[in-house]
Amino acid sequence: MNEVDVAIVGAGAAGLSLAARLTDPAHGPAAPSVALVDPGPSTGPGPRTWCFWEPEGGAYDEAASAVWRRLRVVAADGTVVEGDPAPFRYKMLRSDRFEELLGSWFAGRPRLRRVTAAVTSVEDLPGGAALHGLAPGGGAVSLRSRWVFDSRPLPALPPARTTLLQHFRGWFVRTGHDAFDPGAATLMDFRTPRPAHGLSFGYVLPWSAREALVEYTEFSRAPLEEHEYEAALAHYTGEVLGLGPFSVTGTEQGVVPMTDGAFPRRAGRHVFRIGSAGGATRPSTGYTFSAVQRQAAAIEAACLAGRVPVPPRPHRLRHRVMDAVLLRALDTGRVEGAAYFERLFRNNPLPRLLRFLDGASGPREEAAIGFSTPVAPMLHTLAELPLLRRTPAAPTTGRAGVPPR
């Protein structure tokens, strides 16, 4: 049986980011030996889009497909709230470019090896763990490691008081005339028909005057059928944006759980969950990439220091409580989603709001943000949270766990 210090299951954002940190050449001989185990690109969900904000000089700038220094939200009546998020920038990474960049890094790292196999079981053993899988040709693969970090989606979501889904479909469009402002990303455009339950919005990421990713997104309890997304996108691009003739050069679709359930960080004494499976997705927004980086940095530090590398909770307790309140308030209809988010962006400086959404805000900033929301229904919801039972979530369809942000 092959042996390594660390085995990482899955080569998405979480697995690749952790492998990159653990095998950084700057660690020298202290770097652990790492096996990155994944069934290969042909079995994956295809290219995904990861968006996040950070100051200048990020680690993965080489892989960024686009960067925006202005962000906007459009109210249902067409009123635009726009601002400069400095010192932050909003970035878009395409997963294929990210994988290509990290693949070039890995080529010169002898402490890392890629293993192409579909993992069938992980055994927690005294002093380590054993991983078993099948290679593409059907041969058995076995690996022994001190620690295992598993990024595969959970078979079922954890019990929760509230479980909504952020589900979306996007078109990569190319127009025959200038139709976009490439300097600004539209995070939420509420000029979309309101669904019977939850909220909907458009999301526009232009990287030229004629090219953009245009998405239709809902926060609700169940995904739509593909033809319903297509109809919603046709309405948004035609009736709302007025793009005129355009071609669709690609699509993406996904489902992201928005839940106040407690995601397990351990699956055994030597087996841990990372990424969305370890709770990295922010329940109130669906953003994941930044929390994945914080999680990977903490694991890296623990491994190098010889500590048990339990992944930290990606989000602080008070932020998880605030997220639980918002999800419940949206689900019960106590707050109207479009008005809530418009008010949030209108009444707060963008840098403060982005720090809050990324879990980097302090209590004073959070108090100011709280008073800019509908206080009475939010307090009502906060008071009832301890009385609510956590119940199993209904099964979802679609590519659950593929974050659009």
Side-chain angles (χ1 to χ4, degrees), residues 9-18 36 38 48 50 98-99 102 151 292:
V9 182
L16 289 170
S17 299
L18 181 56
L36 181 59
D38 187 73
R48 287 90 71 209
W50 300 317
F98 183 71
E99 291 162 5
L102 267 63
S151 67
V292 160

Side-chain angles (χ1 to χ4, degrees), residues 7-348:
I8 300 170
V9 182
L16 289 170
S17 299
L18 181 56
R21 283 188 168 274
L22 291 177
T23 61
D24 189 329
H27 299 328
S33 56
V34 176
L36 181 59
V37 186
D38 187 73
S42 62
T43 62
R48 287 90 71 209
T49 299
W50 300 317
C51 290
F52 59 101
W53 50 90
E54 67 178 1
E56 299 277 351
Y60 304 119
D61 275 3
E62 295 173 65
S65 297
V67 177
W68 295 274
R69 291 176 171 81
R70 284 185 290 121
L71 302 178
R72 64 170 60 127
V73 169
V74 184
D77 64 2
T79 304
V80 177
V81 180
E82 183 175 306
D84 182 347
F88 303 108
R89 300 174 302 157
Y90 195 66
K91 296 182 178 180
M92 179 174 75
L93 295 184
R94 291 287 287 160
S95 60
D96 49 357
R97 291 184 62 174
F98 183 71
E99 291 162 5
E100 182 180 353
L101 173 65
L102 267 63
S104 68
W105 292 1
F106 294 159
R109 299 187 180 186
R111 301 291 284 172
L112 173 76
R113 60 191 176 99
R114 306 284 301 257
V115 179
T116 303
V119 174
T120 55
S121 66
V122 179
E123 295 180 80
D124 200 32
L125 303 172
L131 182 153
H132 305 284
L134 293 174
V141 173
S142 294
L143 192 69
R144 176 75 182 257
S145 67
R146 180 75 175 94
W147 310 111
V148 172
F149 296 93
D150 194 343
S151 67
R152 294 173 298 172
L154 297 175
L157 294 175
R161 291 165 295 206
T162 307
T163 299
L164 296 177
L165 301 175
Q166 179 176 163
H167 51 98
F168 65 96
R169 183 170 174 84
W171 288 345
F172 292 87
V173 303
R174 181 180 294 124
T175 63
H177 63 283
D178 292 353
F180 302 106
D181 175 2
T186 300
L187 299 183
M188 289 179 157
D189 183 346
F190 293 108
R191 294 175 295 171
T192 53
R194 182 180 176 183
H197 180 268
L199 72 149
S200 70
F201 56 90
Y203 179 56
V204 184
L205 301 179
W207 51 89
S208 79
R210 300 188 179 194
E211 294 176 290
L213 168 61
V214 181
E215 285 187 354
Y216 174 80
T217 301
E218 284 193 13
F219 293 179
S220 60
R221 293 176 182 167
L224 305 178
E225 297 293 334
E226 184 173 320
H227 70 88
E228 294 176 290
Y229 292 115
E230 292 286 299
L233 278 166
H235 171 268
Y236 182 60
T237 54
E239 302 299 320
V240 178
L241 297 182
L243 295 186
F246 63 87
S247 59
V248 177
T249 61
T251 63
E252 70 170 22
Q253 185 168 333
V255 180
V256 182
M258 303 176 71
T259 170
D260 67 352
F263 283 78
R265 292 171 293 153
R266 298 188 85 143
R269 293 184 62 191
H270 307 94
V271 183
F272 309 102
R273 304 272 187 191
I274 59 171
S276 294
T281 299
R282 183 76 190 258
S284 61
T285 66
Y287 283 97
T288 305
F289 194 85
S290 293
V292 160
Q293 304 312 311
R294 293 194 297 269
Q295 200 176 55
I299 294 169
E300 172 193 28
C303 285
L304 293 175
R307 303 192 306 269
V308 177
V310 182
R313 292 196 181 278
H315 309 291
R316 296 172 180 171
L317 175 60
R318 68 177 187 272
H319 296 148
R320 299 198 304 273
V321 171
M322 287 186 276
D323 287 353
V325 170
L326 175 59
L327 292 179
R328 175 71 177 173
L330 289 174
D331 192 41
T332 59
R334 288 190 190 121
V335 300
E336 198 278 311
Y340 172 89
F341 283 106
E342 180 203 344
R343 184 172 172 177
L344 201 64
F345 278 88
R346 184 181 300 281
N347 296 331
N348 291 280

Side-chain angles (χ1 to χ4, degrees), residues 382-396:
L382 176 62
E384 78 173 1
L385 277 185
L387 308 177
L388 301 175
R389 293 180 56 197
R390 295 181 184 269
T391 59
T396 65

